[in-house]
Each structure stands twice: as C-alpha cells, then as structure tokens.
Amino acid sequence: MSLPLTVVKIGGSLVADGARLRRLLGALPDGVDGPVAIVPGGGALADAVRATQAALAFPDPLAHRLAIGAMAGMARIFAALEPRLAVTEDPVECLAAGGVPVWDPSALAAGHPEIPESWDVTSDSLALWLAARLCARTCLLVKSADPAPGAGPAELARAGLVDAAFPGFATRFSGAIVLRGPGGDRLCRDAVACPEALAERAA
C-alpha cells in the first residue's frame, strides 16, 4: 500500500444527521483521508438489540452476536448510500484491488478469543481491533459529539463516548487514535511504540 491506512469508524448515531453522513461517505472514496477501511456502527439496529434484550433478558453473548449482525446491516446501508463503497469481510483483499472497503464483521459472530462477547465491546473497540490487525497508521472515530480536549482512551470511556473495553484495545494498537466530531478532529493519542501490538504484528 503506497500510503498509510486509516481505519474509519462511523458511528451509527450519525444516522440522525443524514446530510453529514452522506457527505462523509461521499468524501472517503474521494481520498480525503487517504486509503481507508470503514467500520460501521450498529446505530438504531444495535439499539433494537439492546431494547429486545432488556425486554426478554437473553444472554449477553447472543446480544453481542446480534449487534455484529447490526453492524453488517449498516455496512450494506452505507454502500447503498455511496455505491463506490464495497461491503467485504476481507478489507485487505478489497484494498489490494483498489476498492474502498466497508467491513462486514459477520465472521466474528462465531466468536473470537480476543473479543469478549458483551456490551463492553462495541464497534469502537472492534475498530481498534481491526486497525491493529491491518497495521493501520490511524484509527479515526467519527462521532456525533466532540470529546473533551486532551481526553485519552480512558477518559473517553468514562465519558461514555466509547465503550468500556476501548482503553484495553487501545493498548494493543500502536497507531494514532483520533476522534472527529462536529467541531473537527481531536487527537486522543499519538502513535506509540506498543510492545504488545508490535509483537502481534510480527507474529
């Protein structure tokens, strides 16, 4: 890949601002952020899983797998809004072919040893997990709200802007973490030399 990769997680909450969502989806294939792999949030589809679980009290692992299905559904919605995006379970193959991938995480519904099956892990942490696997330079999270200045992964989790598992996944990703809210980009962590992440990459 000629340019560093950015994994872009687009929060499902942006559905409430359809104009901003469409602008963003149109800008990414134009190369505004360089080569990207897009991670969709579950949005209202994941909210429906939460509401159904609250009503019927089924176990968290099932809810987690249904929420992964919600992300897969949003991936297809994004591609319907912007036909230049390609829904895929293999972003590397799509990037190699010159495409702009929207990640379908359906394969994770079978379970993965690195990913706890609970609401502590949402698309925010999954974006970091994918960014580490793809050796991305940056993980960019597009949100409907701005973070506090200088907030790092732990502060973001405490503020409810990311999920509870996010700080732990951040330790396994050695790239930069950036949040993009309505007010613009805010660096939440510079790229760091993370021994655990570097060891995983070398494996």
Side-chain angles (χ1 to χ4, degrees):
M1 212 170 298
S2 58
L3 294 172
L5 178 68
T6 297
V7 167
V8 181
K9 185 264 177 169
I10 301 178
S13 61
L14 266 70
V15 170
D17 187 351
R20 183 184 175 209
L21 176 61
R22 288 174 185 272
R23 285 196 303 271
L24 174 65
L25 293 176
L28 291 173
D30 289 337
V32 66
D33 288 295
V36 298
I38 300 168
V39 174
L45 303 180
D47 291 342
V49 174
R50 289 181 185 269
T52 306
Q53 184 188 28
L56 300 177
F58 52 80
D60 273 357
L62 175 57
H64 174 83
R65 296 176 188 199
L66 291 172
I68 286 173
M71 291 174 62
M74 286 301 298
R76 284 156 178 79
I77 292 170
F78 287 178
L81 294 174
E82 175 46 72
R84 290 178 293 171
L85 304 179
V87 178
T88 179
E89 294 185 21
D90 187 351
V92 172
E93 181 178 352
C94 182
L95 287 161
V100 182
V102 183
W103 183 44
D104 176 350
S106 294
L108 297 180
H112 193 286
E114 297 174 357
I115 301 174
E117 293 184 317
S118 79
W119 287 111
D120 285 349
V121 176
T122 68
S123 53
D124 294 322
S125 285
L126 292 179
L128 279 179
W129 179 82
L130 182 66
R133 289 179 68 87
L134 297 181
C135 299
R137 176 72 61 86
T138 302
C139 184
L140 170 63
L141 283 72
V142 183
K143 296 283 186 176
S144 57
D146 290 311
E155 290 80 11
L156 294 173
R158 284 195 292 269
L161 279 175
V162 296
D163 59 59
F166 190 83
F169 278 86
T171 66
R172 300 194 290 273
F173 172 58
S174 62
I177 299 172
V178 177
L179 258 69
R180 177 175 295 169
D185 289 0
R186 292 191 181 174
L187 182 66
C188 298
R189 193 196 67 193
D190 284 309
V192 295
C194 176
E196 183 177 355
L198 294 175
E200 286 181 3
R201 291 184 185 190

